[in-house]
Amino acid sequence: MNPSATRQFRTGLAALAVAWAGLALALSLSGQLFDPPALHLPLRTSVLAGRVNVYRPNQVAAEAGAARGDRLVAVDGVPALRWLRERGLQGLQQGVSNRYRLEKPDGRVLDLELQPEPTPTLPTLATPLYVAQLAVGLAYLVIGIAVWRLRPARADSFALLLFCATMGAQLFLSVESYRAWLGPERLLVNLPFLGATIFHLFTIHPFEPGWAVRHRRVRMLPYAAAGALALLVPAHRALGLSLELVSRVAFFYSVGLGLLSFGILALERHRHRDAEKTARADVVFIGASVSFVPVIALLLFQALTRFAFPTELALLWFVLFPVAMAYGIVRRQLFDIRLVARSSVAYGAATLFITGLFALLIVFADAAVARFRVNAQSPWFQIVFLFFAILAFNPLRVWLQGFVDRVFDRDRLAYRQAVREISEAMVSMLSIREIVNRILTALTDTMGVERAMVLLLDERDATLRPEAWRGAWDPEAIALDLPSDHPVARRLWLRREELWRSEFDDEPDSELRETCREIFDRLEVELIVPILFGVDVLGLIAVGRKLAGERLGADDRQLLRTLANQSAIAIENAKAFDEIAQLNETLEARVEERTRELRDTQHQLIHSERIKSLGQLVAGIAHELNNPIGFVHANLKLLDEYVPRLLELQARGEDTTRAQQAIDKLLTRSREGTERVKKIVEDLRVFSRADRSELAEADLNQEIDRTLALMEPRLRNDVRVRRDYATLPQVRCHAGQLNQVFMNLVMNACDAAGRGGEIQVRTRPTAGGVRLEFEDDGPGIPAALRSRIFDPFFTTKPVGQGTGLGLSLSHGIVERHGGRIWAEESAAGGARFVIELPREPPEVEPAVDAAAGG
Ligand code: ADP
């Protein structure tokens, strides 16, 4: 059957069952309310398993010896059941007595001639038994319908509805009726179905045995048999069967099926390991035992003591069973059911035990009174005795209660474990988001609420705002801004405990009541729990209804409080962690700032290094320029003298050859001087263009020469320079920057070689570019220092002379050209600096340090 057909089929059957129960109720009520007959039986009876039992004889009957608990065997010689069915109240006539044969519990037979009773002033409706039956029947019906409405799509709620409707009908119909046609058959038609529905229910909830899954039709069999049995009721006479027999069969059929169903359930319970389902099975067992065991016990008690117990009280117990079933079906989480049920049973048993002891004591006291002839007339004796008895029993009761608590504490362990897990997880969480989400999962998954939200305090504007939520929330709730001085927030702060919406019901100030309720309504929650840390409210937990629709219990509240406390600590931790992280961040920023300052200083130093080398250059250049300009100047002076003399000679017509030669010589030498000046200035320009220079092809031999030329004045006096050049390929480079490198190396070499030393410059082409070597015959670089000489600020020179930046800058420049620079020991034990450069520098343009280093 496809799902929608199944649903239709079930809905149809459910409606039929409810209609049947409704009809039974209507029949029952009409049997009581409408045209009550003028006369009534002198004995009120109820029918159980084909037996007609007296539960209230009228006064005459009682005086004649009839008593509650007697069995009505026959009326006017007709078996009681049949008489009730066939004649009923119509068989009574004013002034005519009937013969009632009663059977006492001890088997004695009593025949009574009794007049019918005039219609009682009180209708039967008001008798406790009838009220109890109606109430219990209605309870069954209501529970069945409610569960069906709450869990419409489920097979077990359908089965429960069928069972409840049948049971309700049974209860409605088993009330004695004034009308003959509403006689006992009604009951017999319904009774077999009761067994079938129990079988149906227990083979679906909570376990569906394998065979029932494989052969779904098996469940139909009891219904079919019940139908056949029901058909026997109208047909029994035609078949020659007594109604009593049919009644017996129907009764035992139902009871038998009921027991079988319990057996099946017990077997499945034994076989299954699924904790959730076995818990549900336990609910069924607990429900059944709480519901039926007392009734059975009462019946047993009645049978054994021949004491007619008020059946109506026993009947009320029956309600507990559908309640338990409904609970098991409807509730999604059976968080603590076993615990609650078992502890209540245990408390009940303990109480019963104490009551029994107490009763025993009183019996004993009574005996004592009789025996010792104490003046029992005086009430004081009893009061004093009771007082001491209660005094003595209280410690026992306390002890028993404690014992029960301890026993059930073991079950709480599981619950506590859940709480502990949450706490442990939270302690290690350092993100508020994570903590909040953990709370929400705990609420929705462990506690089973449909929606939950955590609001946190935004300290900047003292407002509580939703931080995270689970379940369906409408946007209005999510947009909530709750100022921390809102009455709800204030009350939570003052109260330091959870707050229920219902607490505002009694608030006399209507404005306050509405402002507070508005918050709950907007969030659509019943309960708000504060997250407290010290005196502060860090946030709120808003908790929706439980999925099962029930109220939050004591355990839930405990869990909520624990969660709130734990999360408060965790949130504080996370905040502290955040602060440290922030501090760390600023620390980083500060370090960066320092680094920047240092870098600035470094730049300044680099700058001063350049100024230093420039200073050296300038000194050299000044010297260099001084010479040519000096003699150009002197020559010009001479020219100043020679030219007028030449003119004079010419004017006199004398030989001017010598004078001309002298002037020519002067001019040539002057030109040589200005040439040199020009060359020096040109080299200087190349050097000064270093910062801005573009990448360009250069012959590095020429570039080295240029540097050497500029340094010549310094070199000339101190050291000899030997050039060992090979033809080099063109290299794309920033020539100005490389000039700086060469100058650094040559200057270092000069420093190392000292006066009279020698520097060798060697250039060679390589596979990919060029190799340049600057070698000196100085003391060389100790191996231990070789790795450090390229470090910025590393210098072995006296303060004021070395900056320790020359090599580090050179290293940077060479690297940016895609080359390598290193120092090694020369053959003579001096230092040799080797540079290898590719013909093409890598793509990346020298950026930051180019300006500083070039
Ligand atoms: P500075 O010359 O200002 O000290 P450099 O970075 O140019 O800075 O050099 C760093 C150090 O390397 C020098 O102080 C020196 O100890 C060593 N050094 C450099 N070149 C030579 C060389 N040719 N021979 C021996 N030591 C050298």
PDB file of all heavy atoms in Angstrom, residues 609 612 748-749 752 776 780-781 789 794-797 801-808 831 833, ligand 1:
ATOM      1  N   GLU A 609      76.711  56.192   4.926  1.00  0.00           N
ATOM      2  CA  GLU A 609      77.754  55.401   4.274  1.00  0.00           C
ATOM      3  C   GLU A 609      78.032  55.962   2.881  1.00  0.00           C
ATOM      4  O   GLU A 609      79.169  56.114   2.462  1.00  0.00           O
ATOM      5  CB  GLU A 609      77.307  53.940   4.192  1.00  0.00           C
ATOM      6  CG  GLU A 609      78.052  53.078   3.171  1.00  0.00           C
ATOM      7  CD  GLU A 609      79.436  52.645   3.637  1.00  0.00           C
ATOM      8  OE1 GLU A 609      79.721  52.833   4.840  1.00  0.00           O
ATOM      9  OE2 GLU A 609      80.234  52.150   2.819  1.00  0.00           O
ATOM     10  N   LYS A 612      79.767  59.062   3.179  1.00  0.00           N
ATOM     11  CA  LYS A 612      81.172  58.834   3.498  1.00  0.00           C
ATOM     12  C   LYS A 612      81.964  58.524   2.222  1.00  0.00           C
ATOM     13  O   LYS A 612      82.983  59.146   1.924  1.00  0.00           O
ATOM     14  CB  LYS A 612      81.307  57.670   4.473  1.00  0.00           C
ATOM     15  CG  LYS A 612      82.723  57.471   4.966  1.00  0.00           C
ATOM     16  CD  LYS A 612      82.870  56.185   5.737  1.00  0.00           C
ATOM     17  CE  LYS A 612      83.365  55.098   4.789  1.00  0.00           C
ATOM     18  NZ  LYS A 612      83.518  53.814   5.457  1.00  0.00           N
ATOM     19  N   ASN A 748      87.630  48.481   0.265  1.00  0.00           N
ATOM     20  CA  ASN A 748      87.971  47.487   1.292  1.00  0.00           C
ATOM     21  C   ASN A 748      89.340  46.889   1.003  1.00  0.00           C
ATOM     22  O   ASN A 748      90.152  46.683   1.913  1.00  0.00           O
ATOM     23  CB  ASN A 748      86.922  46.372   1.329  1.00  0.00           C
ATOM     24  CG  ASN A 748      85.698  46.776   2.144  1.00  0.00           C
ATOM     25  OD1 ASN A 748      85.775  47.731   2.918  1.00  0.00           O
ATOM     26  ND2 ASN A 748      84.600  46.061   1.973  1.00  0.00           N
ATOM     27  N   ALA A 749      89.577  46.584  -0.297  1.00  0.00           N
ATOM     28  CA  ALA A 749      90.851  45.970  -0.673  1.00  0.00           C
ATOM     29  C   ALA A 749      92.012  46.914  -0.352  1.00  0.00           C
ATOM     30  O   ALA A 749      93.034  46.494   0.178  1.00  0.00           O
ATOM     31  CB  ALA A 749      90.812  45.616  -2.161  1.00  0.00           C
ATOM     32  N   ALA A 752      92.645  46.874   3.235  1.00  0.00           N
ATOM     33  CA  ALA A 752      93.289  45.638   3.672  1.00  0.00           C
ATOM     34  C   ALA A 752      94.755  45.601   3.195  1.00  0.00           C
ATOM     35  O   ALA A 752      95.639  45.245   3.958  1.00  0.00           O
ATOM     36  CB  ALA A 752      92.517  44.437   3.137  1.00  0.00           C
ATOM     37  N   ASP A 776      93.163  41.093  -3.011  1.00  0.00           N
ATOM     38  CA  ASP A 776      94.188  41.970  -2.431  1.00  0.00           C
ATOM     39  C   ASP A 776      95.223  41.115  -1.727  1.00  0.00           C
ATOM     40  O   ASP A 776      94.997  39.921  -1.501  1.00  0.00           O
ATOM     41  CB  ASP A 776      93.553  42.967  -1.469  1.00  0.00           C
ATOM     42  CG  ASP A 776      92.895  42.292  -0.316  1.00  0.00           C
ATOM     43  OD1 ASP A 776      93.599  41.686   0.532  1.00  0.00           O
ATOM     44  OD2 ASP A 776      91.608  42.309  -0.239  1.00  0.00           O
ATOM     45  N   GLY A 780      93.738  39.103   4.659  1.00  0.00           N
ATOM     46  CA  GLY A 780      92.646  38.155   4.422  1.00  0.00           C
ATOM     47  C   GLY A 780      91.580  38.238   5.511  1.00  0.00           C
ATOM     48  O   GLY A 780      91.694  39.003   6.464  1.00  0.00           O
ATOM     49  N   ILE A 781      90.565  37.400   5.350  1.00  0.00           N
ATOM     50  CA  ILE A 781      89.453  37.432   6.314  1.00  0.00           C
ATOM     51  C   ILE A 781      89.491  36.145   7.122  1.00  0.00           C
ATOM     52  O   ILE A 781      89.462  35.055   6.539  1.00  0.00           O
ATOM     53  CB  ILE A 781      88.097  37.528   5.599  1.00  0.00           C
ATOM     54  CG1 ILE A 781      88.114  38.715   4.616  1.00  0.00           C
ATOM     55  CG2 ILE A 781      86.948  37.684   6.593  1.00  0.00           C
ATOM     56  CD1 ILE A 781      87.040  38.617   3.572  1.00  0.00           C
ATOM     57  N   ILE A 789      80.668  38.772   7.400  1.00  0.00           N
ATOM     58  CA  ILE A 789      81.051  40.066   6.837  1.00  0.00           C
ATOM     59  C   ILE A 789      79.940  40.712   6.013  1.00  0.00           C
ATOM     60  O   ILE A 789      79.912  41.910   5.843  1.00  0.00           O
ATOM     61  CB  ILE A 789      82.329  39.960   5.973  1.00  0.00           C
ATOM     62  CG1 ILE A 789      82.173  38.839   4.953  1.00  0.00           C
ATOM     63  CG2 ILE A 789      83.569  39.751   6.838  1.00  0.00           C
ATOM     64  CD1 ILE A 789      83.308  38.788   3.952  1.00  0.00           C
ATOM     65  N   PHE A 794      78.201  44.780  10.340  1.00  0.00           N
ATOM     66  CA  PHE A 794      79.369  44.035  10.817  1.00  0.00           C
ATOM     67  C   PHE A 794      80.641  44.728  10.318  1.00  0.00           C
ATOM     68  O   PHE A 794      80.858  44.880   9.124  1.00  0.00           O
ATOM     69  CB  PHE A 794      79.350  42.584  10.334  1.00  0.00           C
ATOM     70  CG  PHE A 794      80.590  41.843  10.741  1.00  0.00           C
ATOM     71  CD1 PHE A 794      80.706  41.344  12.035  1.00  0.00           C
ATOM     72  CD2 PHE A 794      81.676  41.718   9.871  1.00  0.00           C
ATOM     73  CE1 PHE A 794      81.871  40.703  12.433  1.00  0.00           C
ATOM     74  CE2 PHE A 794      82.844  41.082  10.270  1.00  0.00           C
ATOM     75  CZ  PHE A 794      82.939  40.572  11.558  1.00  0.00           C
ATOM     76  N   THR A 795      81.436  45.120  11.293  1.00  0.00           N
ATOM     77  CA  THR A 795      82.684  45.781  10.894  1.00  0.00           C
ATOM     78  C   THR A 795      83.778  45.455  11.895  1.00  0.00           C
ATOM     79  O   THR A 795      83.503  45.217  13.061  1.00  0.00           O
ATOM     80  CB  THR A 795      82.493  47.307  10.800  1.00  0.00           C
ATOM     81  OG1 THR A 795      83.735  47.887  10.399  1.00  0.00           O
ATOM     82  CG2 THR A 795      82.044  47.907  12.116  1.00  0.00           C
ATOM     83  N   THR A 796      84.982  45.403  11.418  1.00  0.00           N
ATOM     84  CA  THR A 796      86.105  45.207  12.345  1.00  0.00           C
ATOM     85  C   THR A 796      86.916  46.498  12.416  1.00  0.00           C
ATOM     86  O   THR A 796      87.934  46.549  13.072  1.00  0.00           O
ATOM     87  CB  THR A 796      87.022  44.076  11.857  1.00  0.00           C
ATOM     88  OG1 THR A 796      87.425  44.378  10.513  1.00  0.00           O
ATOM     89  CG2 THR A 796      86.333  42.730  11.891  1.00  0.00           C
ATOM     90  N   LYS A 797      86.407  47.490  11.723  1.00  0.00           N
ATOM     91  CA  LYS A 797      87.176  48.743  11.679  1.00  0.00           C
ATOM     92  C   LYS A 797      86.841  49.613  12.874  1.00  0.00           C
ATOM     93  O   LYS A 797      85.760  49.492  13.440  1.00  0.00           O
ATOM     94  CB  LYS A 797      86.877  49.475  10.365  1.00  0.00           C
ATOM     95  CG  LYS A 797      87.401  48.672   9.177  1.00  0.00           C
ATOM     96  CD  LYS A 797      87.008  49.233   7.858  1.00  0.00           C
ATOM     97  CE  LYS A 797      87.366  48.214   6.779  1.00  0.00           C
ATOM     98  NZ  LYS A 797      86.809  48.569   5.476  1.00  0.00           N
ATOM     99  N   GLN A 801      85.227  54.823  11.442  1.00  0.00           N
ATOM    100  CA  GLN A 801      85.752  54.547  10.105  1.00  0.00           C
ATOM    101  C   GLN A 801      84.856  53.607   9.326  1.00  0.00           C
ATOM    102  O   GLN A 801      84.514  53.861   8.182  1.00  0.00           O
ATOM    103  CB  GLN A 801      87.132  53.919  10.220  1.00  0.00           C
ATOM    104  CG  GLN A 801      88.219  54.962  10.309  1.00  0.00           C
ATOM    105  CD  GLN A 801      89.593  54.328  10.250  1.00  0.00           C
ATOM    106  OE1 GLN A 801      89.803  53.331   9.554  1.00  0.00           O
ATOM    107  NE2 GLN A 801      90.523  54.898  10.987  1.00  0.00           N
ATOM    108  N   GLY A 802      84.524  52.468   9.972  1.00  0.00           N
ATOM    109  CA  GLY A 802      83.697  51.497   9.257  1.00  0.00           C
ATOM    110  C   GLY A 802      82.236  51.612   9.679  1.00  0.00           C
ATOM    111  O   GLY A 802      81.933  51.895  10.830  1.00  0.00           O
ATOM    112  N   THR A 803      81.361  51.395   8.734  1.00  0.00           N
ATOM    113  CA  THR A 803      79.931  51.352   9.086  1.00  0.00           C
ATOM    114  C   THR A 803      79.427  49.920   9.058  1.00  0.00           C
ATOM    115  O   THR A 803      78.359  49.608   9.556  1.00  0.00           O
ATOM    116  CB  THR A 803      79.085  52.150   8.094  1.00  0.00           C
ATOM    117  OG1 THR A 803      79.303  51.600   6.786  1.00  0.00           O
ATOM    118  CG2 THR A 803      79.465  53.612   8.104  1.00  0.00           C
ATOM    119  N   GLY A 804      80.178  49.055   8.403  1.00  0.00           N
ATOM    120  CA  GLY A 804      79.718  47.669   8.305  1.00  0.00           C
ATOM    121  C   GLY A 804      78.588  47.498   7.315  1.00  0.00           C
ATOM    122  O   GLY A 804      77.902  46.487   7.307  1.00  0.00           O
ATOM    123  N   LEU A 805      78.404  48.498   6.478  1.00  0.00           N
ATOM    124  CA  LEU A 805      77.281  48.392   5.537  1.00  0.00           C
ATOM    125  C   LEU A 805      77.722  48.113   4.107  1.00  0.00           C
ATOM    126  O   LEU A 805      76.933  47.624   3.311  1.00  0.00           O
ATOM    127  CB  LEU A 805      76.464  49.678   5.566  1.00  0.00           C
ATOM    128  CG  LEU A 805      75.587  49.836   6.802  1.00  0.00           C
ATOM    129  CD1 LEU A 805      75.002  51.229   6.844  1.00  0.00           C
ATOM    130  CD2 LEU A 805      74.493  48.784   6.813  1.00  0.00           C
ATOM    131  N   GLY A 806      78.957  48.412   3.804  1.00  0.00           N
ATOM    132  CA  GLY A 806      79.421  48.301   2.418  1.00  0.00           C
ATOM    133  C   GLY A 806      79.145  46.948   1.806  1.00  0.00           C
ATOM    134  O   GLY A 806      78.512  46.845   0.754  1.00  0.00           O
ATOM    135  N   LEU A 807      79.568  45.892   2.498  1.00  0.00           N
ATOM    136  CA  LEU A 807      79.394  44.563   1.923  1.00  0.00           C
ATOM    137  C   LEU A 807      77.934  44.148   1.900  1.00  0.00           C
ATOM    138  O   LEU A 807      77.484  43.485   0.969  1.00  0.00           O
ATOM    139  CB  LEU A 807      80.228  43.541   2.703  1.00  0.00           C
ATOM    140  CG  LEU A 807      81.733  43.571   2.396  1.00  0.00           C
ATOM    141  CD1 LEU A 807      82.452  42.506   3.209  1.00  0.00           C
ATOM    142  CD2 LEU A 807      81.976  43.352   0.904  1.00  0.00           C
ATOM    143  N   SER A 808      77.217  44.536   2.941  1.00  0.00           N
ATOM    144  CA  SER A 808      75.820  44.130   2.986  1.00  0.00           C
ATOM    145  C   SER A 808      75.049  44.778   1.835  1.00  0.00           C
ATOM    146  O   SER A 808      74.227  44.127   1.179  1.00  0.00           O
ATOM    147  CB  SER A 808      75.231  44.464   4.368  1.00  0.00           C
ATOM    148  OG  SER A 808      74.110  45.263   4.261  1.00  0.00           O
ATOM    149  N   ALA A 831      92.448  38.472   0.676  1.00  0.00           N
ATOM    150  CA  ALA A 831      91.013  38.227   0.453  1.00  0.00           C
ATOM    151  C   ALA A 831      90.704  38.325  -1.023  1.00  0.00           C
ATOM    152  O   ALA A 831      91.292  39.138  -1.733  1.00  0.00           O
ATOM    153  CB  ALA A 831      90.194  39.244   1.225  1.00  0.00           C
ATOM    154  N   PHE A 833      87.277  38.692  -3.363  1.00  0.00           N
ATOM    155  CA  PHE A 833      85.822  38.770  -3.484  1.00  0.00           C
ATOM    156  C   PHE A 833      85.433  38.434  -4.896  1.00  0.00           C
ATOM    157  O   PHE A 833      86.003  38.971  -5.835  1.00  0.00           O
ATOM    158  CB  PHE A 833      85.331  40.169  -3.114  1.00  0.00           C
ATOM    159  CG  PHE A 833      85.300  40.374  -1.629  1.00  0.00           C
ATOM    160  CD1 PHE A 833      86.449  40.740  -0.939  1.00  0.00           C
ATOM    161  CD2 PHE A 833      84.130  40.157  -0.915  1.00  0.00           C
ATOM    162  CE1 PHE A 833      86.422  40.894   0.435  1.00  0.00           C
ATOM    163  CE2 PHE A 833      84.107  40.318   0.459  1.00  0.00           C
ATOM    164  CZ  PHE A 833      85.247  40.687   1.135  1.00  0.00           C
TER     165      PHE A 833
HETATM  166  P1  ADP B   1      83.296  48.480   6.574  1.00  0.00           P
HETATM  167  O1  ADP B   1      84.229  48.487   5.488  1.00  0.00           O
HETATM  168  O2  ADP B   1      82.601  49.754   6.852  1.00  0.00           O
HETATM  169  O3  ADP B   1      83.777  47.789   7.856  1.00  0.00           O
HETATM  170  P2  ADP B   1      82.130  46.414   4.959  1.00  0.00           P
HETATM  171  O4  ADP B   1      80.757  45.756   4.971  1.00  0.00           O
HETATM  172  O5  ADP B   1      82.572  46.956   3.703  1.00  0.00           O
HETATM  173  O6  ADP B   1      82.061  47.488   6.108  1.00  0.00           O
HETATM  174  O7  ADP B   1      83.110  45.331   5.480  1.00  0.00           O
HETATM  175  C1  ADP B   1      82.822  44.549   6.576  1.00  0.00           C
HETATM  176  C2  ADP B   1      84.080  43.932   7.140  1.00  0.00           C
HETATM  177  O8  ADP B   1      84.551  42.903   6.276  1.00  0.00           O
HETATM  178  C3  ADP B   1      85.201  44.823   7.354  1.00  0.00           C
HETATM  179  O9  ADP B   1      85.097  45.531   8.570  1.00  0.00           O
HETATM  180  C4  ADP B   1      86.397  43.882   7.309  1.00  0.00           C
HETATM  181  O10 ADP B   1      86.579  43.312   8.588  1.00  0.00           O
HETATM  182  C5  ADP B   1      85.947  42.800   6.372  1.00  0.00           C
HETATM  183  N1  ADP B   1      86.521  42.988   5.040  1.00  0.00           N
HETATM  184  C6  ADP B   1      85.933  43.506   3.964  1.00  0.00           C
HETATM  185  N2  ADP B   1      86.762  43.455   2.885  1.00  0.00           N
HETATM  186  C7  ADP B   1      87.918  42.912   3.310  1.00  0.00           C
HETATM  187  C8  ADP B   1      89.184  42.582   2.687  1.00  0.00           C
HETATM  188  N3  ADP B   1      89.433  42.843   1.371  1.00  0.00           N
HETATM  189  N4  ADP B   1      90.179  41.992   3.449  1.00  0.00           N
HETATM  190  C9  ADP B   1      89.953  41.737   4.753  1.00  0.00           C
HETATM  191  N5  ADP B   1      88.748  42.009   5.411  1.00  0.00           N
HETATM  192  C10 ADP B   1      87.767  42.588   4.689  1.00  0.00           C
END
